[in-house]
């Protein structure tokens, strides 16, 4: 193909793709602002209060509370604090009349089971159920995250405008926030601040005010194309096609810049001024393109990989097991065990869950150390050590109220047990066996290696959101026996919530590294966040300048043709 034809092709493609690239560049300038101009909240750390043994001594037994409420099975139970009062929080399946519409998209996702659970709250001292308990707890949590401990002084300030359950990701609460389901708590303030909270686990999810909402909406429309979220695969295909053309056009431009040199004008004296202007415009475009193409190619390439990843089926946080606690099998002396546990150490909560056919009790220590106020800035959380105790149901046996009747487990052991359940489930699924065997042996868990993560790493980065977690890996032979694809693909477990937070995906991991390095300029991380933001802004300005100079060249070329 002749050089002139290549020039025409380069020009034609540049005119077409210049518009979406310009919009991506302009909206890309918003990202540093979005990460710096954020709603002012007091903390992202979950609230903690000392659960004393005196409170538990006068508490109504959990088993009696569940029986009186007609709850025969529950997914999980724990003790929570809300506005100076202690409650049993019981997660159980919703009644059919309250379930989500089966045709809703959420029922097809991996977190559908969690979205069908409802949280009910019962007063520890009276056993009475708290009406609208989940909404009241959401309000209590939101005020804590917004104002800190001082929110307990006046539990009605600031006033709340609305509380809404969010079961799926939306334009305002996107997939990057990971947690579902959550409660959307909107306050009556001038900035219209909204706090998203996970009441099932007392976690902060996201904060949004009017300024951030405007930023997100602009960024969503012009950068991530949120208006096409209902057609994710089509959106990914269109974006990928545009970026492929952008890469080809940039590469073609570099080839032409190397292959050719600006030619001296040979036009007559009457057209000398116009020709000089055109020649200068070409030189300016060539010079700016040398620098601008570097940033453009980096962003286009990383954006292409990211678009392909976004077109794949997303992974949702999911429970490691759907086993339920049967109320009639709970020990009659459970309340006395709770009391003994609180007397032996300072606790902030006690919970129950069912794993591998066994009842487990989880005790959360009361920690006075100040936690992470902003996970984005700190990139980590304080290490916490939770204790677990296992209880095996025995028919026709005398139930002891002594804590020694429960087998102690470390959090490491529980995390490996949860991972083994996940791997066993995947192995059975791969061979089409739906009769899952949940009886995991010590041999199964012994093959697994667990690493406690309190900070983000390359394998588990900020986009994964949840901390702390356990990274579980296994040897090659064990991976084959458990049905895992590779020993180099670990899974990440949140033991405190009994959740599979992430499954390592080679392509997704590659996308995360490429996107962080080339798109978010993590190569400047050594100099701090301000340096990364400055590098991003500088690159965007250079790309915009390149586009403006390119369109100016096209305009001058058009005027020259009309005069000749």
């Amino acid at each position: 193909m002749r050089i002139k034809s290549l020039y025409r092709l380069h020009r034609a493609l540049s005119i077409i793709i210049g518009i979406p690239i310009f919009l991506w560049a302009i909206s890309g300038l918003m990202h540093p602002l979005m990460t710096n101009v954020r709603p002012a909240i007091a903390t992202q750390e979950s609230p903690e209060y000392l659960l004393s043994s005196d409170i538990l001594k006068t508490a109504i037994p959990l088993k009696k509370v569940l029986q009186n409420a007609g709850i025969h099975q529950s997914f999980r139970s724990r003790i929570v604090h809300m506005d100076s009062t202690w409650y049993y929080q019981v997660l159980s399946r919703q009644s059919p009349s309250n379930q989500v519409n089966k045709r809703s998209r959420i029922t097809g996702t991996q977190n559908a089971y969690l979205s069908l659970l409802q949280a009910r709250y019962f007063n520890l001292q009276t056993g009475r159920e708290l009406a609208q308990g989940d909404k009241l707890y959401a309000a209590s949590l939101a005020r804590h995250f917004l104002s800190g401990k001082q929110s307990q002084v006046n539990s009605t300030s600031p006033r709340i405008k609305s509380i809404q359950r969010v079961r799926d990701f939306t334009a305002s609460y996107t997939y990057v926030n990971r947690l579902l389901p959550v409660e959307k708590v909107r306050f009556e303030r001038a900035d219209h601040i909204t706090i998203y909270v996970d009441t099932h686990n007392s976690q902060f999810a996201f904060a949004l005010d009017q300024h951030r909402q405007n930023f997100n909406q602009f960024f969503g429309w012009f950068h991530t194309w949120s208006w096409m979220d209902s057609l994710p695969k089509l959106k990914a295909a269109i974006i990928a096609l545009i970026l492929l053309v952008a890469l080809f056009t940039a590469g073609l431009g570099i080839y032409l810049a190397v292959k050719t040199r600006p030619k001296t004008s040979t036009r007559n004296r009457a057209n000398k001024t116009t020709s000089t202007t055109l020649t200068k415009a070409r030189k300016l475009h060539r010079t700016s393109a040398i620098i601008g193409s570097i940033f453009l190619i980096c962003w286009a390439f990383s954006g292409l990989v990211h678009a392909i990843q976004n077109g794949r089926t997303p992974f949702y946080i999911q429970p490691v097991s759907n086993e339920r606690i049967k109320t009639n099998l709970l020990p009659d002396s459970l309340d006395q065990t709770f009391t003994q546990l609180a007397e032996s150490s300072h606790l902030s909560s006690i919970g129950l869950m069912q794993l591998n056919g066994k009842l487990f009790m989880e005790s959360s220590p009361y920690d006075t150390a100040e936690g992470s106020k902003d996970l984005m800035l700190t990139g980590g959380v304080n290490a916490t050590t939770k204790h677990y105790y296992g209880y095996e149901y025995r028919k026709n046996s005398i139930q002891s109220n002594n804590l020694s009747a429960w087998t102690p487990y470390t959090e490491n052991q529980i995390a490996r047990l949860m991972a083994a359940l996940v791997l066993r489930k995947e192995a059975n699924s791969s061979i089409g066996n739906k009769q899952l065997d949940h009886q995991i042996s010590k041999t199964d868990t012994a093959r697994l290696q667990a690493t406690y993560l309190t900070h983000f790493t390359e394998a588990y980065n900020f986009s994964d959101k949840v901390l702390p977690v356990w990274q579980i890996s296994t040897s090659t032979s064990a991976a084959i026996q458990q049905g895992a694809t590779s020993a180099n693909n670990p899974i990440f477990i949140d033991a405190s919530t009994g959740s599979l937070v992430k499954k390592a995906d080679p392509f997704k991991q590659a996308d995360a590294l490429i996107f962080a390095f080339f798109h978010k300029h993590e190569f400047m991380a050594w100099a701090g966040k301000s340096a990364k933001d400055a590098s991003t802004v500088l690159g965007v300005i250079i790309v915009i300048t390149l586009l403006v100079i390119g369109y100016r060249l096209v305009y001058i070329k058009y005027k020259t043709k009309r005069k000749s």
Side-chain angles (χ1 to χ4, degrees):
M1 185 179 289
R2 295 186 303 171
I3 294 296
K4 284 187 177 181
S5 298
L6 292 177
Y7 266 119
R8 292 192 191 99
L9 178 61
H10 174 73
R11 183 167 57 248
L13 293 177
S14 297
I15 292 172
I16 297 171
I17 65 168
I19 296 174
I21 290 177
F22 181 79
L23 294 176
W24 277 327
I26 290 293
S27 56
L29 281 173
M30 303 296 293
H31 195 267
L33 291 174
M34 290 166 59
T35 57
N36 286 284
V37 182
R38 290 179 295 153
I41 61 174
T43 183
Q44 295 180 10
E45 188 77 358
S46 299
E48 285 194 6
Y49 298 89
L50 181 62
L51 177 60
S52 68
S53 58
D54 294 335
I55 294 174
L56 293 172
K57 286 178 182 177
T58 58
I60 304 296
L62 175 61
K63 185 174 183 177
K64 182 178 180 180
V65 169
L66 296 176
Q67 288 175 335
N68 291 342
I71 301 176
H72 305 295
Q73 294 182 345
S74 57
F75 180 68
R76 198 177 69 190
S77 299
R78 64 188 181 116
I79 299 174
V80 299
H81 184 275
M82 184 196 322
D83 298 333
S84 73
T85 305
W86 291 93
Y87 294 89
Y88 291 117
Q89 182 197 65
V90 182
L91 297 184
S92 59
R93 195 171 180 84
Q94 292 183 17
S95 60
S97 59
N98 295 328
Q99 287 184 9
V100 185
N101 187 336
K102 290 184 178 180
R103 290 184 296 178
S104 174
R105 187 166 71 89
I106 191 65
T107 58
T109 62
Q110 293 174 323
N111 64 330
Y113 181 82
L114 292 178
S115 295
L116 294 178
L117 294 177
Q118 65 173 342
R120 300 172 66 179
Y121 298 79
F122 301 89
N123 190 298
L124 242 69
Q125 309 303 317
T126 65
R128 294 175 183 171
E129 183 171 4
L130 179 65
Q132 299 292 315
D134 210 32
K135 288 191 174 183
L136 293 174
Y137 190 47
S140 177
L141 286 174
R143 287 196 176 97
H144 164 79
F145 295 128
L146 183 63
S147 306
K149 291 286 186 180
Q150 63 183 9
S151 65
Q152 299 301 321
V153 177
N154 186 355
S155 61
T156 61
S157 179
R159 293 186 61 184
I160 291 175
K161 184 175 183 179
S162 63
I163 301 176
Q164 179 184 356
R165 169 61 66 92
V166 178
R167 291 184 172 89
D168 203 357
F169 298 113
T170 64
S172 298
Y173 185 76
T174 59
Y175 175 78
V176 297
N177 295 297
R178 301 302 311 278
L179 301 179
L180 280 178
V182 293
E183 297 290 335
K184 177 183 178 182
V185 183
R186 188 175 184 186
F187 289 91
E188 286 190 358
R189 291 200 335 185
D191 60 357
H192 303 294
I193 192 166
T194 299
I195 308 291
Y196 292 82
V197 297
D198 174 12
T199 56
H200 294 181
N201 302 296
S202 305
Q203 291 179 327
F204 170 84
F206 185 53
L208 187 71
D209 61 8
Q210 190 61 53
H211 293 298
R212 184 66 184 268
Q213 172 68 25
N214 294 337
F215 285 154
N216 285 2
Q217 190 170 15
F218 183 85
F219 189 80
W221 268 82
F222 295 108
H223 204 87
T224 61
W225 293 16
S226 58
W227 44 275
M228 283 194 70
D229 282 348
S230 59
L231 301 168
K233 294 188 182 300
L234 178 61
K235 181 178 81 169
I238 294 174
I239 292 176
L241 179 60
I242 293 173
L243 292 174
L244 274 172
V245 175
L247 286 171
F248 173 77
T249 305
L252 181 58
I254 293 173
Y255 170 78
L256 291 172
V258 174
K259 191 74 174 176
T260 64
R261 291 180 179 273
K263 295 181 179 180
T264 304
S265 176
T266 58
R267 296 186 179 275
N268 56 36
R269 187 178 298 274
N271 293 332
K272 184 175 180 180
T273 303
T274 305
S275 299
T276 303
T277 303
L278 179 60
T279 302
K280 288 181 177 179
R282 282 174 174 167
K283 288 181 178 180
L284 182 61
H285 177 65
R286 184 185 298 266
T287 303
S288 62
I290 293 173
I291 302 174
S293 61
I294 297 174
F295 289 97
L296 179 59
I297 289 173
C298 287
W299 276 322
F301 172 68
S302 56
L304 172 62
V305 177
H306 197 60
I308 296 173
Q309 168 58 33
N310 289 341
R312 304 170 72 205
T313 303
F315 174 81
Y316 290 84
I317 295 175
Q318 55 191 276
V320 298
S321 172
N322 294 337
E323 296 178 72
R324 301 184 183 100
I325 303 170
K326 294 182 179 179
T327 302
N328 64 325
L329 294 181
L330 286 175
D332 295 326
S333 58
L334 187 61
D335 56 317
Q336 299 176 39
T337 307
F338 283 172
T339 303
Q340 289 185 5
L341 193 60
E343 288 176 340
S344 63
S345 58
H346 295 294
L347 303 177
S348 63
S349 180
I350 299 176
L352 294 176
M353 61 181 174
Q354 185 85 1
L355 282 177
N356 199 35
K358 182 183 293 187
L359 177 67
F360 282 92
M361 179 170 56
E362 175 191 74
S363 64
S364 302
Y366 177 66
D367 189 3
T368 57
E370 186 176 352
S372 172
K373 291 186 177 181
D374 194 330
L375 192 59
M376 177 178 286
L377 296 179
T378 61
V381 297
N382 295 334
T384 57
T385 305
K386 295 189 176 184
H387 299 281
Y388 296 82
Y389 304 86
Y391 181 88
E392 292 189 15
Y393 301 114
R394 298 178 179 86
K395 293 184 179 181
N396 303 322
S397 64
I398 300 176
Q399 296 179 343
S400 171
N401 61 6
N402 196 322
L403 186 58
S404 61
W406 294 66
T407 305
Y409 287 79
T410 65
E411 189 171 342
N412 183 305
Q413 291 175 306
I414 294 298
R416 286 187 288 119
L417 173 60
M418 291 179 175
L421 287 170
V422 171
L423 295 175
R424 176 66 62 82
K425 184 177 181 179
E426 289 182 351
N428 282 297
S429 177
S430 65
I431 61 176
N433 181 11
K434 297 183 179 181
Q435 301 298 321
L436 304 178
D437 179 13
H438 290 287
Q439 296 302 316
I440 301 297
S441 66
K442 290 184 178 180
T443 305
D444 295 323
T445 58
R447 297 190 182 106
L448 303 176
Q449 297 177 344
T451 304
Y452 189 54
L453 301 182
T454 57
H455 288 75
F456 295 119
T457 64
E458 285 190 1
Y460 188 84
N461 55 51
F462 180 74
S463 65
D464 298 308
K465 299 296 180 183
V466 180
L467 278 179
V469 295
W470 288 87
Q471 178 177 324
I472 312 295
S473 56
T474 180
S475 64
T476 305
S477 59
I480 295 173
Q481 293 181 24
Q482 292 285 2
T485 56
S486 173
N488 296 322
N489 294 340
I491 60 176
F492 298 86
I493 300 291
D494 182 1
S496 63
T497 63
S499 302
L500 172 62
V501 179
K502 178 182 180 180
K503 290 194 298 184
D505 180 335
F507 185 84
K508 185 177 181 180
Q509 187 62 28
D511 165 57
L513 293 175
I514 292 171
F515 196 76
F517 191 83
F518 292 111
H519 217 87
K520 295 185 175 182
H521 288 202
E522 283 295 330
F523 57 83
M524 292 293 296
W526 60 272
K529 186 178 183 302
S530 297
K532 286 197 303 180
D533 291 344
S535 175
T536 301
V537 171
L538 177 62
V540 170
I541 292 175
I542 290 174
V543 170
I544 292 174
T545 303
L546 170 63
L547 292 171
V548 172
I549 292 173
Y551 277 115
R552 178 175 174 268
L553 174 59
V554 172
Y555 175 72
I556 294 174
K557 180 75 174 177
Y558 173 74
K559 285 183 63 178
T560 304
K561 279 189 175 181
R562 291 196 63 180
K563 288 183 178 180
S564 59

